[in-house]
Structure formats: C-alpha cells, structure tokens
C-alpha cells in the first residue's frame, strides 16, 4: 500500500517479500492448491526463460499482483463491526417476526447471504448457517442451495469480493462504470433463484416429501411453541436495520467517490476502505472496544489463513503474464475473432462455459486470468465493462458447481454431505444463469 500510494522505491523489497511469503506459506497449503501453485510458478518461469523475457518484465509480473494480497488481508476487518453491532441478531428477530411462508424465508436468506457475503466473503456461509439452520429443519438441501446461491450472487457485483476486484484490475475497468451492469445481473440471477426454488418447493409439497421449515408455525404475536414451552420474542428494533442500510450505502459511496477523485489501483482503494471504514463504523455504533478486542482474533486466526488464496492467485496471474510472451495470445485472439464474426452470443457463452467446466478441475483464476490477459474486448466486439461482466459471471458461478471451490467444501462440511452433491443440486440454476447471462450481455452490448 505504501508502494502504490507514495511511489516509495520498494520494488526489490516487495519481490523479496513475495518470495518469502511463498516459501513460508506453501508447506501449509491444502494439497490441491499446493500442487497447482507450484506447477504454475514453475511453468511460468520456464516460459520466461524459453522466451527470453527481461528481468524488468519478470519483476512487474510479480508486483502487478501484490495488491491482491492486501485485498485478502484487509477485507475481513469489515466483518467485526457487522458481528459486534448486533446486526446478526436483528436479522434473526426479523425473520421470526415477519417471514411466515417457506418461499419468503428462502428468498430472504438468499438475499441476506448475498449482502453479507459482499463483506464477509466465505465467512458469511458459516454465519448464515449458524443463524438459520434450526429454522430450516430437515430441509437441508433447500437451505444449502439458498446459501451457495446467495454467496454466488455476491461474486457478480461486490468490489469487496475477490473475483470482481481481480477481474476489474486485470481488464482495466473502473468499478464505477461496471457497477450497474453487475447489479442488473444480480437482480436477474436472484429472480431466477427464487423461481427455481419456488418450483422445487411446489414439487416437493405435491409429493409431500419436504417438511415445513422449522419456523413455519410461528404466530403473528411473536410466540413459538416448542415442546409445550412458550418462547417469547421481544419486539423487533428496526434501528439496527436502519444502521446496517446506512453503513452499506456509505461503504459503496465511499468507494465511488475515492475512485472518482483518486486514480489509484482499485484493490488499494478497497484495502484502505476496509481498514478505515471498519474503525469508523465501530466508533459510530459505540463498539470500538469490542473492535480492538476482535483484532486478537484477526491476527491469530484470520490473517494467517489467507495464504492459500493469496499464493494461488499470485501464481496463476504470474503464469498468465508469462503466457503473454508466447504466441498463444495471438492464437486465442484469432480463434475468438472468427467465432465472434459468426455469433457474439456464442462467444460469450463459450467463455462462460469454458471457465465453468475448467473450474470443476482447477481453480477458476487460471482460465479467467488467461482470458483476461490474452483477449481484447475490441477483438471480440464487446464493451470493456461487458467483457469484465462476462468474466465476473464465469468466476461467480464456480462456487455453484465446483467440488474444489472453498464455498462448496465449506457448505459440504456444514451439511454433512459431499461437495459434488451440492454442485449437482445447483446444476439447473447454473445452466440457467449461463444462458441468461449470455443473452443479457449480448442484448446490453447491442443496445447501449
């Protein structure tokens, strides 16, 4: 951050830190990311020496991606005022008091998971599970789908989500010009999720195989009967909800204004906001002591566990930069130029479909970074913002189907099932999103 903001000559020092971070982190990574990151770094350096690249190019390939690490390290700080401010408890009271039907609970949980994931990232799945697991009773399949689909929606628009920030950085698109496209995609995908889950509820209700959700028998007076004991729920205090809405709006307005006034890397701006806003938010709600106490958890649990994503993404983007030294970009550009001349909508579909299928076997950053660095939006006839949206959608659908994605693995662990089974539950939704997004991007590109 100091290097980016003040142009302090720290190039060699930063390169040394990246190498040191890899040496320290690599032994502790999970087996699959460990193998993939090692192979990508090895192949990247092999390509570098074969093509006779310069030392300055090798250094820039490393330094261009260092900002990604600040994103992973700083964004989790936003979770502490969210947890300390009583907002999680507020949502529990809200769903108890106002949501009386199964489809309302599903739509609310999906939307809330999307919002919370925008700031907590992967941690949101655990928070939402702890909060709502009892309210879904035995409908674990429906609950799991709602959580993973809500998490996926956040990946379509939030700059605090790694995929959006990384892709905007690689393609060179500003968030302020991308925002409305991403939000439109979220809205359409959210409606699709509601429609598919509603169909599932109706079908299961006809077959009488799905029990009502656990909170389905609550009365309007706020009482719940459990084993002949009456639990009295206190009136919902909407002050917490108003505070949460103000905090979210302020966070995104701050990013808009900073990006408009300052011309720094968006990853650096997000990192600055994550640090400063979490402190200001805690002060505003009178929870600064709790925030300071939470930093113990941050330094001992959160920060040391970002190594897998950080090293994996640095390795993949480093490899994609070295691929640029070969003839592969020209081959890919020529191929997609021919396809786009036949059909632009087919081009969009192929990019999303290729990334989705590839993510089943490897981390999505590899195919997406290759497309981002080797393809030019002008060559295939897409506006830069819509090309970025195509890649963002490719990133966002990965948690839905990939058995090696962190979101699927975590959900599988929580619901005591296999990650591949959760992917199977989301196939219909994923296929729908691929087709709908291809048509939408094609329409937007030809209309605006």
């Amino acid at each position: 951050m100091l290097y980016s903001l003040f142009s302090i000559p720290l190039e060699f020092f930063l390169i040394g830190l990246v190498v040191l971070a890899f040496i320290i982190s690599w032994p502790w990574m999970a087996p699959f990311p460990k193998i993939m990151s090692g192979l990508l770094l090895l192949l990247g350096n092999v390509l570098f020496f074969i093509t006779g690249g310069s030392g300055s190019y090798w250094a820039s390939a490393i330094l261009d991606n260092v900002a990604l690490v600040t994103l992973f390290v700083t964004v989790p700080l936003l979770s502490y005022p969210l947890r300390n401010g009583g907002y999680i408890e507020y949502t529990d009271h809200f769903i108890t008091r106002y949501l009386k039907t199964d489809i309302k609970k599903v739509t609310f949980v999906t939307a809330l998971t999307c919002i919370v994931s925008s700031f907590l990232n992967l941690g949101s799945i655990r928070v939402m599970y702890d909060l709502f697991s009892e309210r879904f009773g035995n409908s674990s399949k429906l609950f799991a789908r709602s959580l993973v689909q809500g998490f996926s929606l956040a990946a379509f628009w939030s700059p605090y989500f790694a995929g959006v920030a990384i892709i905007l950085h690689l393609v060179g698109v500003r968030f302020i010009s991308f925002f409305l496209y991403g939000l439109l995609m979220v809205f359409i995908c959210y409606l699709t999720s509601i429609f598919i889950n509603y169909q599932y509820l109706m079908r299961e209700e006809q077959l009488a195989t799905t029990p009502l959700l656990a909170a389905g028998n609550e009365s309007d007076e706020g009482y719940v009967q459990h084993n002949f004991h009456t639990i009295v729920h206190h009136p919902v205090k909407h002050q917490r909800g108003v505070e949460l809405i103000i905090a979210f709006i302020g966070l995104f307005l701050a990013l808009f204004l900073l990006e408009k006034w300052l011309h720094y890397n968006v990853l650096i701006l997000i990192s600055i906001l994550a640090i400063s806003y979490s402190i200001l938010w805690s002060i505003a709600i009178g929870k600064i002591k709790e925030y300071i106490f939470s930093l113990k958890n941050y330094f001992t649990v959160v920060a040391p566990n970002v190594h897998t994503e950080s090293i994996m993404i640095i390795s993949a983007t480093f490899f994609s930069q070295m691929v640029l030294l070969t003839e592969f970009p020209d081959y890919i550009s020529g191929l997609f130029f021919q396809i786009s001349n036949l059909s632009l909508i087919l081009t969009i579909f192929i990019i999303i479909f290729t990334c989705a299928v590839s993510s089943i076997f490897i981390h999505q950053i590899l195919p997406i970074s290759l497309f981002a660095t080797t393809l030019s939006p002008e060559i295939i006839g897409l506006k830069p913002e819509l090309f970025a949206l195509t890649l963002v959608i490719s990133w966002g659908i990965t948690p839905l189907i990939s058995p090696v994605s962190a979101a699927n693995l975590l959900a599988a662990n929580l619901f005591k099932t296999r990650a591949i089974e959760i992917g199977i539950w989301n196939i219909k939704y994923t296929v729908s999103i691929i087709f709908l997004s291809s048509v939408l991007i094609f329409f937007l590109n030809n209309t605006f």
Side-chain angles (χ1 to χ4, degrees):
M1 291 172 66
L2 291 173
Y3 170 75
S4 299
L5 294 176
F6 304 108
S7 300
I8 299 175
L10 297 171
E11 291 89 345
F12 293 107
F13 180 65
L14 281 175
I15 292 172
L17 285 180
V18 173
V19 174
L20 182 62
F22 182 83
I23 294 173
I24 293 175
S25 301
W26 194 75
W28 302 98
M29 294 171 66
F32 181 78
K34 180 191 294 187
I35 295 171
M36 284 299 301
S37 60
L39 282 175
L40 291 173
L41 280 178
L42 177 62
L43 292 174
N45 281 290
V46 169
L47 289 176
F48 172 75
F49 287 111
I50 290 176
T51 56
S54 64
S56 59
Y57 185 86
W58 189 92
S60 66
I62 292 290
L63 295 181
D64 284 345
N65 304 314
V66 171
L68 301 173
V69 180
T70 68
L71 187 74
F72 289 117
V73 172
T74 57
V75 166
L77 288 170
L78 288 168
S79 68
Y80 295 115
L82 189 64
R83 293 172 184 270
N84 297 334
Y87 304 110
I88 303 299
E89 292 79 2
Y90 165 77
T91 58
D92 184 41
H93 295 159
F94 183 90
I95 195 172
T96 301
R97 179 67 178 83
Y98 294 105
L99 305 180
K100 304 299 182 182
T101 63
D102 295 352
I103 190 61
K104 285 183 179 180
K105 293 179 178 67
V106 171
T107 54
F108 180 79
V109 168
T110 304
L112 187 62
T113 305
C114 171
I115 295 171
V116 176
S117 297
S118 302
F119 305 95
L120 298 189
N121 206 295
L122 198 61
S124 64
I125 294 181
R126 179 78 219 194
V127 171
M128 292 298 102
Y129 178 83
D130 291 341
L131 186 59
F132 297 118
S133 58
E134 292 186 2
R135 304 197 175 281
F136 276 78
N138 296 322
S139 300
S140 58
K141 178 179 179 180
L142 185 63
F143 186 26
R145 282 167 47 167
S146 299
L147 285 187
V148 177
Q149 289 173 13
F151 178 81
S152 177
L153 288 175
F156 293 154
W157 75 292
S158 173
Y160 301 95
F161 210 95
V164 174
I166 291 168
I167 290 167
L168 293 182
H169 168 65
L170 292 176
V171 179
V173 171
R174 300 183 68 187
F175 176 70
I176 196 170
S177 61
F178 166 84
F179 173 70
L180 290 178
Y181 291 115
L183 206 58
L184 178 61
M185 193 67 228
V186 170
F187 179 71
I188 291 175
C189 292
Y190 179 57
L191 292 180
T192 305
S193 173
I194 294 173
F195 177 73
I196 291 176
N197 285 326
Y198 178 76
Q199 282 187 320
Y200 170 80
L201 277 171
M202 293 300 99
R203 184 174 64 253
E204 296 300 308
E205 185 176 321
Q206 291 175 356
L207 297 174
T209 57
T210 299
L212 293 175
L213 303 189
N217 60 342
E218 294 165 8
S219 65
D220 291 335
E221 287 73 24
Y223 294 90
V224 185
Q225 296 291 337
H226 288 297
N227 298 326
F228 304 104
H229 295 285
T230 301
I231 302 174
V232 181
H233 290 281
H234 298 289
V236 179
K237 297 180 180 179
H238 293 294
Q239 177 187 349
R240 287 288 179 266
V242 174
E243 288 178 2
L244 196 58
I245 293 172
I246 293 173
F248 286 166
I249 293 175
L251 188 57
F252 281 97
L253 281 178
L255 181 59
F256 273 124
L257 295 176
L258 283 178
E259 193 177 26
K260 184 177 180 180
W261 294 336
L262 305 176
H263 298 285
Y264 294 117
N265 187 327
V266 68
L267 303 178
I268 297 298
L269 294 179
I270 293 172
S271 300
I272 294 171
L273 270 178
I275 296 171
S276 58
Y277 203 90
S278 61
I279 296 173
L280 293 174
W281 188 357
S282 298
I283 293 174
I285 61 176
K287 297 292 183 179
I288 189 63
K289 289 184 179 179
E290 288 83 351
Y291 177 80
I292 294 173
F293 181 78
S294 298
L295 292 180
K296 179 180 178 181
N297 170 266
Y298 171 77
F299 285 113
T300 57
V301 178
V302 178
N305 287 307
V306 300
H307 56 264
T308 295
E309 286 183 307
S310 298
I311 297 301
M312 185 69 202
I313 287 177
I314 284 180
S315 303
T317 51
F318 173 81
F319 174 76
S320 66
Q321 290 295 319
M322 294 309 164
V323 170
L324 294 178
L325 296 174
T326 68
E327 297 179 357
F328 183 74
D330 295 332
Y331 171 76
I332 289 292
S333 296
L335 177 63
F336 274 91
F337 177 74
Q338 293 177 359
I339 297 174
S340 62
N341 284 335
L342 294 174
S343 172
L344 179 58
I345 194 171
L346 179 62
T347 303
I348 299 167
F349 175 83
I350 289 175
I351 292 174
I352 299 176
F353 182 77
T354 301
C355 293
V357 173
S358 300
S359 66
I360 297 176
F361 308 100
I362 58 177
H363 196 285
Q364 70 264 40
I365 184 59
L366 182 55
I368 289 173
S369 62
L370 285 175
F371 279 129
T373 54
T374 58
L375 281 181
S376 170
E378 293 78 14
I379 289 178
I380 57 178
L382 273 177
K383 296 177 181 178
E385 293 82 4
L386 293 176
F387 179 58
L389 181 62
T390 301
L391 297 178
V392 164
I393 293 167
S394 303
W395 183 292
I397 61 178
T398 296
L400 297 170
I401 56 173
S402 174
V404 296
S405 73
N408 246 340
L409 291 172
L410 176 57
N413 181 57
L414 293 174
F415 290 96
K416 310 302 180 186
T417 186
R418 296 175 299 168
I420 192 171
E421 188 172 4
I422 294 180
I424 293 172
W425 294 345
N426 284 302
I427 284 180
K428 184 177 180 180
Y429 175 69
T430 303
V431 172
S432 301
I433 294 307
I434 292 175
F435 278 104
L436 284 173
S437 58
S438 299
V439 173
L440 175 65
I441 293 171
F442 174 78
F443 173 78
L444 292 174
N445 194 68
N446 292 335
T447 305
F448 298 101

